[in-house]
Amino acid sequence: SGPRAVAVVGEPGAPETEELVRTVLRSAPLGTVLSRGDGEDSGGVPLLEQRVRVGGRATAYVCEGFVCKLPVTTPEELRAQLTI
């Protein structure tokens, strides 16, 4: 497996966005890259390009190498993807 990266997109400062970020910080393996954005503008960060909020909710994308898993919107789903 390649390097792991997680993109979190959601409204900055919103509780659901911050909870996904905290989940990554607590549960992701050492060396995981975290990028965060609003889901509208990638800010030139490749990991955030074409990453959108699912159903208007804060959403996380867990990627290894150049392959991303299905997007998730809850801390529980995110934690499960990070521990696989």
Coordinates of all heavy atoms in Angstrom, one line a residue:
S1 N 0.8 -1.2 0.0 CA 0.0 0.0 0.0 C 0.9 1.2 0.0 O 2.0 1.2 0.6 CB -0.9 0.0 1.2 OG -0.2 0.2 2.4
G2 N 0.4 2.3 -0.6 CA 1.1 3.5 -0.7 C 0.8 4.5 0.4 O 0.2 4.1 1.4
P3 N 1.3 5.7 0.3 CA 1.0 6.7 1.4 C -0.5 6.9 1.5 O -1.2 6.9 0.5 CB 1.7 7.9 0.9 CG 2.6 7.5 -0.2 CD 2.1 6.2 -0.7
R4 N -0.9 7.1 2.7 CA -2.3 7.4 2.9 C -2.6 8.9 3.1 O -1.8 9.6 3.7 CB -2.8 6.7 4.2 CG -4.3 6.8 4.4 CD -4.8 6.0 5.5 NE -4.8 4.6 5.1 CZ -5.2 3.6 5.9 NH1 -5.5 3.8 7.1 NH2 -5.3 2.3 5.4
A5 N -3.7 9.3 2.5 CA -4.0 10.7 2.6 C -5.5 10.8 2.8 O -6.3 10.0 2.3 CB -3.7 11.5 1.3
V6 N -6.0 11.8 3.5 CA -7.4 12.0 3.8 C -7.7 13.5 3.4 O -7.1 14.4 3.9 CB -7.7 11.7 5.3 CG1 -9.2 11.9 5.5 CG2 -7.3 10.3 5.7
A7 N -8.8 13.6 2.7 CA -9.4 14.9 2.4 C -10.7 15.1 3.1 O -11.5 14.2 3.0 CB -9.6 15.1 0.9
V8 N -10.8 16.1 3.9 CA -12.0 16.4 4.6 C -12.6 17.7 4.0 O -11.9 18.7 4.0 CB -11.8 16.6 6.1 CG1 -13.1 17.1 6.8 CG2 -11.3 15.3 6.7
V9 N -13.8 17.7 3.5 CA -14.4 18.9 2.9 C -15.7 19.1 3.7 O -16.5 18.2 4.0 CB -14.7 18.7 1.4 CG1 -13.4 18.7 0.6 CG2 -15.6 17.5 1.1
G10 N -15.9 20.4 4.0 CA -17.1 20.8 4.8 C -17.0 22.3 5.1 O -15.9 22.9 4.9
E11 N -18.0 22.8 5.7 CA -18.0 24.2 6.2 C -17.0 24.4 7.2 O -17.0 23.7 8.3 CB -19.4 24.5 6.7 CG -19.5 26.0 7.1 CD -20.9 26.3 7.7 OE1 -21.9 25.6 7.4 OE2 -21.0 27.3 8.4
P12 N -16.0 25.3 7.0 CA -15.0 25.5 8.0 C -15.6 25.9 9.4 O -16.5 26.7 9.4 CB -14.2 26.7 7.4 CG -14.5 26.6 5.9 CD -15.9 26.1 5.8
G13 N -15.1 25.2 10.4 CA -15.5 25.5 11.7 C -16.8 24.9 12.2 O -17.2 24.9 13.3
A14 N -17.5 24.2 11.2 CA -18.8 23.6 11.6 C -18.5 22.3 12.4 O -17.5 21.6 12.2 CB -19.5 23.2 10.3
P15 N -19.3 22.0 13.4 CA -19.0 20.9 14.3 C -18.8 19.6 13.5 O -17.9 18.8 13.9 CB -20.3 20.8 15.2 CG -20.8 22.2 15.2 CD -20.5 22.8 13.8
E16 N -19.6 19.3 12.5 CA -19.5 18.0 11.8 C -18.1 18.0 11.0 O -17.5 16.9 10.9 CB -20.6 17.7 10.9 CG -20.8 18.7 9.7 CD -21.9 18.3 8.8 OE1 -22.7 17.4 9.0 OE2 -22.1 19.0 7.7
T17 N -17.7 19.1 10.5 CA -16.4 19.1 9.8 C -15.3 18.9 10.8 O -14.4 18.1 10.6 CB -16.2 20.5 9.1 OG1 -17.3 20.7 8.2 CG2 -14.9 20.5 8.4
E18 N -15.3 19.6 11.9 CA -14.3 19.5 13.0 C -14.2 18.1 13.5 O -13.2 17.6 13.9 CB -14.5 20.5 14.0 CG -14.4 22.0 13.5 CD -13.1 22.2 12.8 OE1 -12.0 21.8 13.3 OE2 -13.1 22.8 11.7
E19 N -15.4 17.4 13.7 CA -15.4 16.1 14.2 C -14.7 15.1 13.3 O -14.0 14.2 13.7 CB -16.8 15.6 14.5 CG -16.9 14.2 15.2 CD -16.2 14.2 16.5 OE1 -16.2 15.2 17.2 OE2 -15.7 13.1 16.9
L20 N -14.9 15.3 11.9 CA -14.2 14.4 11.0 C -12.7 14.6 11.1 O -11.9 13.7 11.0 CB -14.7 14.6 9.6 CG -16.1 14.1 9.3 CD1 -16.5 14.5 7.8 CD2 -16.3 12.7 9.5
V21 N -12.3 15.9 11.2 CA -10.9 16.2 11.3 C -10.3 15.6 12.6 O -9.2 15.0 12.5 CB -10.6 17.8 11.3 CG1 -9.2 18.1 11.7 CG2 -11.0 18.3 9.9
R22 N -11.0 15.7 13.7 CA -10.5 15.1 14.9 C -10.4 13.6 14.8 O -9.4 13.0 15.3 CB -11.4 15.5 16.1 CG -11.2 16.8 16.7 CD -11.9 17.1 18.0 NE -13.3 17.0 17.9 CZ -14.1 18.0 17.6 NH1 -13.6 19.1 17.2 NH2 -15.4 17.8 17.5
T23 N -11.3 13.0 14.1 CA -11.3 11.5 13.9 C -10.0 11.1 13.1 O -9.3 10.2 13.5 CB -12.5 11.1 13.1 OG1 -13.7 11.4 13.9 CG2 -12.5 9.6 12.9
V24 N -9.7 11.9 12.1 CA -8.4 11.6 11.3 C -7.2 11.8 12.3 O -6.3 10.9 12.3 CB -8.3 12.6 10.1 CG1 -6.9 12.4 9.5 CG2 -9.4 12.4 9.1
L25 N -7.2 12.9 13.0 CA -6.0 13.1 13.9 C -5.8 12.0 14.9 O -4.7 11.7 15.3 CB -6.1 14.5 14.5 CG -6.1 15.7 13.5 CD1 -6.3 17.0 14.3 CD2 -4.8 15.7 12.8
R26 N -6.9 11.5 15.4 CA -6.9 10.5 16.5 C -6.7 9.1 15.9 O -6.1 8.2 16.6 CB -8.2 10.4 17.3 CG -8.4 11.6 18.2 CD -9.7 11.4 19.0 NE -10.1 12.6 19.6 CZ -11.3 13.2 19.6 NH1 -12.3 12.6 19.0 NH2 -11.5 14.3 20.3
S27 N -7.2 8.8 14.7 CA -7.3 7.4 14.3 C -6.4 7.0 13.1 O -6.2 5.8 12.9 CB -8.8 7.0 13.9 OG -9.6 7.3 15.0
A28 N -5.9 8.0 12.4 CA -5.1 7.7 11.2 C -3.7 7.2 11.6 O -3.2 7.7 12.6 CB -5.0 8.9 10.3
P29 N -3.1 6.3 10.8 CA -1.8 5.9 11.1 C -0.8 7.0 10.9 O -1.0 8.0 10.2 CB -1.5 4.9 9.9 CG -2.9 4.5 9.4 CD -3.7 5.6 9.6
L30 N 0.3 6.9 11.6 CA 1.4 7.9 11.6 C 1.8 8.1 10.1 O 1.9 7.1 9.4 CB 2.6 7.5 12.4 CG 3.6 8.5 12.7 CD1 3.0 9.7 13.5 CD2 4.7 7.9 13.5
G31 N 2.0 9.3 9.7 CA 2.4 9.6 8.3 C 1.3 9.9 7.4 O 1.5 10.3 6.2
T32 N 0.0 9.8 7.9 CA -1.1 10.2 7.0 C -1.2 11.7 6.8 O -1.0 12.5 7.7 CB -2.4 9.7 7.7 OG1 -2.4 8.3 7.9 CG2 -3.6 10.1 6.9
V33 N -1.4 12.0 5.5 CA -1.5 13.4 5.1 C -3.0 13.8 5.2 O -3.9 13.1 4.7 CB -1.0 13.6 3.7 CG1 -1.3 15.1 3.2 CG2 0.4 13.3 3.6
L34 N -3.3 15.0 5.9 CA -4.6 15.5 6.0 C -4.7 16.8 5.3 O -3.9 17.7 5.5 CB -5.0 15.7 7.5 CG -6.3 16.5 7.8 CD1 -7.5 15.7 7.2 CD2 -6.4 16.7 9.3
S35 N -5.7 16.9 4.4 CA -6.0 18.2 3.7 C -7.5 18.5 4.0 O -8.3 17.6 4.0 CB -5.8 18.1 2.2 OG -4.4 17.9 1.9
R36 N -7.8 19.8 4.2 CA -9.1 20.1 4.4 C -9.5 21.3 3.6 O -8.7 22.2 3.3 CB -9.4 20.4 5.9 CG -8.5 21.4 6.5 CD -8.5 21.5 8.0 NE -9.9 21.8 8.5 CZ -10.2 22.0 9.8 NH1 -9.3 21.9 10.7 NH2 -11.4 22.2 10.1
G37 N -10.8 21.3 3.2 CA -11.3 22.4 2.4 C -12.8 22.5 2.5 O -13.4 21.8 3.3
D38 N -13.4 23.5 1.8 CA -14.8 23.7 1.9 C -15.6 22.9 0.9 O -16.9 23.0 0.9 CB -15.1 25.2 1.8 CG -14.7 25.8 0.5 OD1 -14.4 25.1 -0.5 OD2 -14.7 27.1 0.4
G39 N -15.0 22.2 0.0 CA -15.7 21.4 -1.0 C -16.1 22.2 -2.2 O -16.8 21.7 -3.1
E40 N -15.7 23.5 -2.2 CA -16.1 24.3 -3.4 C -14.9 24.8 -4.1 O -14.9 24.9 -5.3 CB -16.9 25.5 -2.9 CG -18.3 25.1 -2.3 CD -19.0 26.2 -1.6 OE1 -18.7 27.4 -1.9 OE2 -19.9 25.9 -0.8
D41 N -13.8 25.1 -3.4 CA -12.6 25.6 -4.0 C -11.4 24.7 -3.5 O -11.2 24.7 -2.3 CB -12.4 27.1 -3.7 CG -11.1 27.6 -4.3 OD1 -10.4 27.0 -5.1 OD2 -10.7 28.7 -3.9
S42 N -10.7 24.1 -4.4 CA -9.6 23.2 -4.0 C -8.4 24.0 -3.4 O -7.5 23.5 -2.8 CB -9.1 22.3 -5.1 OG -8.5 23.1 -6.1
G43 N -8.3 25.3 -3.7 CA -7.2 26.1 -3.3 C -5.9 25.7 -3.9 O -4.8 25.9 -3.4
G44 N -5.9 25.0 -5.0 CA -4.7 24.5 -5.7 C -4.2 23.2 -5.0 O -3.1 22.8 -5.4
V45 N -4.9 22.6 -4.1 CA -4.4 21.4 -3.4 C -5.0 20.2 -4.2 O -6.2 20.0 -4.2 CB -4.9 21.3 -2.0 CG1 -4.5 20.0 -1.3 CG2 -4.4 22.5 -1.2
P46 N -4.1 19.4 -4.9 CA -4.6 18.3 -5.7 C -5.5 17.3 -5.0 O -6.5 16.9 -5.6 CB -3.3 17.6 -6.1 CG -2.2 18.7 -6.1 CD -2.6 19.6 -4.9
L47 N -5.2 17.0 -3.7 CA -6.1 16.1 -3.0 C -7.5 16.6 -2.9 O -8.4 15.8 -2.7 CB -5.5 15.8 -1.6 CG -6.2 14.7 -0.8 CD1 -6.2 13.4 -1.5 CD2 -5.5 14.6 0.6
L48 N -7.7 17.9 -2.9 CA -9.0 18.5 -2.7 C -9.8 18.7 -4.0 O -11.0 19.0 -4.0 CB -8.9 19.8 -1.9 CG -8.4 19.7 -0.5 CD1 -8.3 21.1 0.1 CD2 -9.4 18.9 0.3
E49 N -9.1 18.5 -5.1 CA -9.8 18.7 -6.4 C -10.9 17.7 -6.6 O -10.7 16.5 -6.4 CB -8.7 18.6 -7.6 CG -7.8 19.8 -7.6 CD -6.8 19.8 -8.7 OE1 -6.8 18.8 -9.5 OE2 -5.9 20.6 -8.7
Q50 N -12.0 18.2 -7.0 CA -13.2 17.4 -7.3 C -13.7 16.6 -6.1 O -14.4 15.6 -6.2 CB -12.9 16.4 -8.5 CG -12.6 17.1 -9.8 CD -12.3 16.2 -10.9 OE1 -12.6 15.0 -10.9 NE2 -11.8 16.8 -12.0
R51 N -13.4 17.1 -4.9 CA -13.9 16.5 -3.7 C -15.1 17.4 -3.2 O -14.9 18.6 -3.0 CB -12.9 16.4 -2.6 CG -11.6 15.7 -3.0 CD -11.8 14.2 -2.9 NE -10.6 13.5 -3.3 CZ -10.4 12.8 -4.4 NH1 -11.4 12.6 -5.2 NH2 -9.2 12.2 -4.6
V52 N -16.2 16.8 -3.1 CA -17.4 17.6 -2.8 C -18.1 17.0 -1.6 O -17.9 15.9 -1.2 CB -18.4 17.6 -4.0 CG1 -17.8 18.3 -5.2 CG2 -18.9 16.2 -4.3
R53 N -18.9 17.8 -1.0 CA -19.7 17.4 0.2 C -20.8 16.4 -0.4 O -21.5 16.7 -1.4 CB -20.4 18.6 0.9 CG -19.4 19.6 1.4 CD -20.2 20.7 2.1 NE -19.3 21.9 2.1 CZ -19.7 23.0 2.6 NH1 -20.9 23.1 3.2 NH2 -18.9 24.1 2.6
V54 N -21.0 15.3 0.3 CA -22.1 14.4 -0.1 C -23.4 14.8 0.7 O -23.3 14.8 1.9 CB -21.7 12.9 0.2 CG1 -22.8 12.0 0.0 CG2 -20.4 12.6 -0.6
G55 N -24.4 15.0 0.0 CA -25.7 15.4 0.6 C -25.6 16.7 1.4 O -26.3 16.9 2.3
G56 N -24.6 17.5 1.1 CA -24.4 18.8 1.8 C -23.7 18.7 3.1 O -23.6 19.6 3.8
R57 N -23.3 17.4 3.5 CA -22.7 17.2 4.8 C -21.2 17.2 4.6 O -20.6 16.9 3.5 CB -23.1 15.8 5.3 CG -24.6 15.7 5.5 CD -25.0 14.4 6.1 NE -24.4 14.2 7.4 CZ -24.4 13.0 8.0 NH1 -24.9 11.9 7.5 NH2 -23.8 12.9 9.2
A58 N -20.5 17.4 5.7 CA -19.1 17.3 5.7 C -18.7 15.9 5.3 O -19.4 14.9 5.7 CB -18.5 17.6 7.1
T59 N -17.7 15.7 4.5 CA -17.4 14.4 3.9 C -15.9 14.2 3.9 O -15.1 15.1 3.7 CB -17.8 14.4 2.4 OG1 -19.2 14.8 2.4 CG2 -17.6 13.1 1.7
A60 N -15.5 12.9 4.2 CA -14.1 12.6 4.2 C -13.8 11.6 3.1 O -14.6 10.7 2.8 CB -13.7 12.0 5.5
Y61 N -12.6 11.7 2.4 CA -12.2 10.8 1.4 C -10.8 10.2 1.9 O -9.9 11.0 2.1 CB -12.0 11.6 0.1 CG -13.2 12.2 -0.5 CD1 -13.7 13.4 -0.1 CD2 -13.8 11.5 -1.6 CE1 -14.9 13.9 -0.6 CE2 -15.0 12.1 -2.1 CZ -15.5 13.3 -1.7 OH -16.6 13.8 -2.2
V62 N -10.8 8.9 2.0 CA -9.5 8.2 2.4 C -8.9 7.7 1.2 O -9.5 6.9 0.5 CB -9.8 7.1 3.5 CG1 -8.5 6.4 3.8 CG2 -10.4 7.7 4.7
C63 N -7.7 8.0 0.9 CA -7.0 7.6 -0.3 C -5.6 7.0 0.0 O -5.0 7.4 1.0 CB -6.7 8.8 -1.2 SG -8.2 9.8 -1.5
E64 N -5.3 6.0 -0.8 CA -4.0 5.3 -0.7 C -3.4 5.3 -2.1 O -4.1 4.8 -3.0 CB -4.0 3.9 -0.1 CG -4.2 3.9 1.4 CD -4.0 2.6 2.0 OE1 -2.9 2.0 1.8 OE2 -4.9 2.1 2.7
G65 N -2.2 5.8 -2.2 CA -1.6 5.9 -3.6 C -2.5 6.9 -4.3 O -2.8 8.0 -3.9
F66 N -3.1 6.4 -5.4 CA -4.0 7.3 -6.2 C -5.4 6.7 -6.3 O -6.2 7.1 -7.1 CB -3.4 7.4 -7.7 CG -2.1 8.1 -7.7 CD1 -0.9 7.4 -7.8 CD2 -2.0 9.5 -7.6 CE1 0.3 8.1 -7.8 CE2 -0.8 10.2 -7.6 CZ 0.3 9.4 -7.7
V67 N -5.7 5.9 -5.3 CA -7.1 5.3 -5.3 C -7.8 5.7 -4.0 O -7.2 5.6 -2.9 CB -7.0 3.8 -5.3 CG1 -8.3 3.1 -5.2 CG2 -6.2 3.3 -6.6
C68 N -9.0 6.2 -4.1 CA -9.7 6.7 -2.9 C -10.9 5.7 -2.7 O -11.5 5.2 -3.6 CB -10.3 8.1 -3.1 SG -9.0 9.3 -3.3
K69 N -11.2 5.5 -1.4 CA -12.4 4.7 -1.0 C -13.6 5.6 -1.2 O -13.5 6.8 -1.5 CB -12.2 4.3 0.4 CG -11.0 3.4 0.6 CD -10.8 3.0 2.1 CE -9.5 2.2 2.3 NZ -9.4 1.7 3.6
L70 N -14.8 5.0 -1.0 CA -16.0 5.7 -1.1 C -16.0 6.8 -0.1 O -15.6 6.6 1.1 CB -17.2 4.8 -1.0 CG -17.4 3.8 -2.1 CD1 -18.6 2.8 -1.7 CD2 -17.7 4.5 -3.4
P71 N -16.6 8.0 -0.4 CA -16.6 9.0 0.6 C -17.5 8.7 1.8 O -18.5 7.9 1.6 CB -17.2 10.2 -0.2 CG -17.9 9.6 -1.4 CD -17.2 8.3 -1.7
V72 N -17.2 9.2 3.0 CA -18.0 8.9 4.2 C -18.3 10.2 4.9 O -17.6 11.2 4.7 CB -17.3 8.0 5.1 CG1 -17.1 6.6 4.5 CG2 -15.9 8.5 5.5
T73 N -19.4 10.2 5.6 CA -19.9 11.4 6.3 C -20.0 11.3 7.8 O -20.4 12.3 8.4 CB -21.2 11.9 5.7 OG1 -22.2 10.8 5.9 CG2 -21.2 12.2 4.2
T74 N -19.6 10.2 8.4 CA -19.7 10.1 9.8 C -18.4 9.7 10.4 O -17.6 9.0 9.7 CB -20.8 9.0 10.3 OG1 -20.3 7.7 9.9 CG2 -22.1 9.3 9.6
P75 N -18.1 10.1 11.6 CA -16.8 9.7 12.3 C -16.7 8.2 12.4 O -15.6 7.6 12.2 CB -16.9 10.3 13.7 CG -17.9 11.5 13.5 CD -18.9 11.0 12.5
E76 N -17.8 7.4 12.6 CA -17.7 6.0 12.7 C -17.3 5.3 11.4 O -16.4 4.4 11.3 CB -19.1 5.4 13.1 CG -19.5 5.8 14.5 CD -20.1 7.3 14.6 OE1 -20.4 7.8 13.5 OE2 -20.1 7.8 15.7
E77 N -17.9 5.8 10.2 CA -17.5 5.3 8.9 C -16.0 5.6 8.6 O -15.3 4.8 8.1 CB -18.4 5.9 7.8 CG -19.8 5.4 7.9 CD -20.7 6.2 6.9 OE1 -20.5 7.5 6.8 OE2 -21.5 5.6 6.2
L78 N -15.6 6.8 9.0 CA -14.3 7.3 8.7 C -13.3 6.4 9.6 O -12.3 6.0 9.0 CB -14.1 8.8 9.1 CG -12.7 9.4 8.9 CD1 -12.1 9.1 7.5 CD2 -12.8 10.8 9.2
R79 N -13.6 6.2 10.8 CA -12.7 5.4 11.7 C -12.5 4.0 11.1 O -11.4 3.5 11.1 CB -13.3 5.4 13.1 CG -12.3 5.0 14.2 CD -12.9 5.2 15.6 NE -13.2 6.5 15.9 CZ -14.5 7.0 16.0 NH1 -15.5 6.2 15.9 NH2 -14.7 8.2 16.3
A80 N -13.6 3.4 10.6 CA -13.6 2.1 10.1 C -12.6 2.1 8.8 O -11.8 1.1 8.7 CB -14.9 1.6 9.7
Q81 N -12.7 3.1 8.0 CA -11.8 3.1 6.8 C -10.4 3.3 7.2 O -9.5 2.8 6.5 CB -12.3 4.2 5.8 CG -13.5 3.9 5.0 CD -13.8 4.8 3.9 OE1 -13.0 5.8 3.7 NE2 -14.8 4.6 3.1
L82 N -10.1 4.1 8.2 CA -8.7 4.4 8.6 C -8.1 3.2 9.3 O -6.8 3.1 9.3 CB -8.7 5.6 9.6 CG -9.1 6.9 9.0 CD1 -9.2 8.0 10.1 CD2 -8.0 7.3 8.0
T83 N -8.8 2.3 9.8 CA -8.2 1.1 10.6 C -8.1 -0.1 9.7 O -7.6 -1.1 10.1 CB -9.0 0.8 11.8 OG1 -10.4 0.5 11.4 CG2 -9.0 1.9 12.8
I84 N -8.5 0.0 8.4 CA -8.4 -1.2 7.5 C -6.9 -1.2 7.0 O -6.4 -0.2 6.6 CB -9.4 -1.1 6.4 CG1 -10.8 -1.3 6.9 CG2 -9.1 -2.1 5.3 CD1 -11.9 -1.0 5.9

